[in-house]
Amino acid sequence: MDWTPDERPTAKEIAAKFRDDIARGVYPPGAQLPGAKSLAKKLRVGLMTVQSAYSQLRDDGLVAARVGSGTYVIDPKKGEATAQQTASGMRELQEQLTHLTSQLSDLRDRVERLEAPRSGPADENQ
């Protein structure tokens, strides 16, 4: 992994980086991810941070851990999506969610403006 962030990454950021790498084919099915201890040292984070990131990837169905061996990108069964396809789909969903969140925020602002008390000619007559 040729990634050296300026600041210590969170588990979420580490998982996102691997999702992106898997989606781009940097880690194809069957590829082993870097060892958690060595990656933690390289990124200057705690071992638990890397383990949490790998756990997120497992929960996403992208990798599987083999006791005493490491963490590997899943090689799908026939008819199932590859880890690369799954990661790419998740990245698209994240982009859509970001867009929808922005739209929701804009709508909330519009509603607040519409519901705000108005001072105008109607208020002066009362």
Side-chain angles (χ1 to χ4, degrees):
M1 171 181 240
D2 293 332
W3 181 48
T4 51
D6 294 333
E7 296 183 19
R8 293 179 182 174
T10 64
K12 185 176 180 179
E13 292 168 335
I14 295 168
K17 173 65 174 150
F18 277 106
R19 275 188 209 100
D20 186 54
D21 285 351
I22 291 168
R24 291 184 302 118
V26 174
Y27 293 97
Q32 183 177 9
L33 299 186
K37 287 180 186 178
S38 62
L39 183 60
K41 185 175 181 178
K42 179 180 181 194
L43 297 176
R44 299 168 310 173
V45 298
L47 177 60
M48 293 296 291
T49 301
V50 174
Q51 289 174 334
S52 177
Y54 283 6
S55 179
Q56 291 174 40
L57 297 172
R58 275 193 304 277
D59 292 345
D60 293 344
L62 298 175
V63 300
R66 297 182 195 157
V67 178
S69 177
T71 303
Y72 296 83
V73 177
I74 291 177
D75 192 4
K77 297 174 185 164
K78 187 175 182 180
E80 292 183 3
T82 65
Q84 183 176 3
Q85 291 167 329
T86 301
S88 179
M90 291 184 71
R91 187 174 54 201
E92 289 174 18
L93 285 174
Q94 288 173 331
E95 291 169 1
Q96 290 174 2
L97 181 59
T98 299
H99 179 71
L100 289 173
T101 301
S102 174
Q103 287 182 320
L104 183 58
S105 178
D106 291 345
L107 287 173
R108 186 179 328 119
D109 292 345
R110 288 180 179 183
V111 169
E112 287 175 0
R113 284 195 304 271
L114 288 171
E115 292 179 346
R118 296 182 183 158
S119 59
D123 292 340
E124 293 170 1
N125 294 333
Q126 293 180 358

